[in-house]
Amino acid sequence: MILRDLTLRPATRAELPAVLALLADEDAVVDPASITVTEVYERAFADIEADPRNEMLVLTDGERVLGCLQITYIPGLGKGGAERALIEAVRIRADRRGGGLGRELMERAVARARARGCALVQLTSDKQRTEAHRFYASLGFARSHDGFKLPL
């Protein structure tokens, strides 16, 4: 596959099952036809779509969703009042990994944040995902903070 023939763009409602399939299991290919799009997912997708500070992006080869990620643009007073971009839910189809798609996805997402004027891009990754950590480091991301979560 020629990587320049890929497109990174906002997901459409019709692609929601494909996005949910990517998020369902990062180690296996899940058939989007097996995904039930519940009202909760519909509402969450509609909220993301309606929010100018949120984007659910898909990487496609014209017909298939090969990857996805969500970017949230966060305003702040630090960094001179510039926005920061928070990247989450990064996935590439399990059967398409290792060919540069993840790098292409992330580089295009960072370029999108840069073009918007963001001062930095940040993300978190589970401590157990050592391969993902090496991947993010190879893209220039540096470990800078310990993260904390509080389930509600």
Side-chain angles (χ1 to χ4, degrees):
M1 160 165 288
I2 299 170
L3 297 181
R4 69 178 176 274
D5 291 339
L6 300 173
T7 302
L8 180 66
R9 60 170 172 71
T12 66
R13 166 54 191 89
E15 293 165 329
L16 184 54
V19 170
L20 294 174
L22 288 171
L23 297 175
D25 187 340
E26 71 180 81
D27 295 322
V29 176
V30 176
D31 180 0
S34 72
I35 298 295
T36 301
V37 180
T38 65
E39 184 179 322
V40 174
Y41 287 130
E42 292 278 5
R43 188 171 39 249
F45 184 79
D47 288 346
I48 292 167
E49 226 179 8
D51 184 345
R53 294 197 184 278
N54 266 290
E55 295 183 302
M56 188 70 221
L57 302 175
V58 290
L59 185 70
T60 69
D61 64 0
E63 56 189 52
R64 289 171 296 180
V65 172
L66 303 175
C68 68
L69 58 74
Q70 182 175 350
I71 301 181
T72 303
Y73 301 102
I74 305 168
L77 297 176
K79 302 285 182 192
E83 286 183 323
R84 65 185 59 214
L86 174 64
I87 295 181
E88 300 180 284
V90 179
R91 296 289 190 282
I92 294 293
R93 276 179 55 115
D95 63 345
R96 297 301 301 272
R97 292 197 192 122
L101 291 176
R103 179 168 298 280
E104 190 72 16
L105 173 66
M106 289 297 294
E107 286 176 351
R108 290 184 187 201
V110 168
R112 195 174 184 100
R114 185 177 287 115
R116 186 177 165 113
C118 291
L120 65 89
V121 175
Q122 61 190 37
L123 56 82
T124 61
S125 181
D126 188 289
K127 288 185 177 194
Q128 306 304 312
R129 299 185 68 221
T130 55
E131 286 183 40
H133 302 168
R134 280 192 293 275
F135 170 67
Y136 294 131
S138 79
L139 292 168
F141 285 82
R143 291 177 186 244
S144 63
H145 293 76
D146 280 332
F148 298 90
K149 291 184 180 182
L150 176 64
L152 303 178

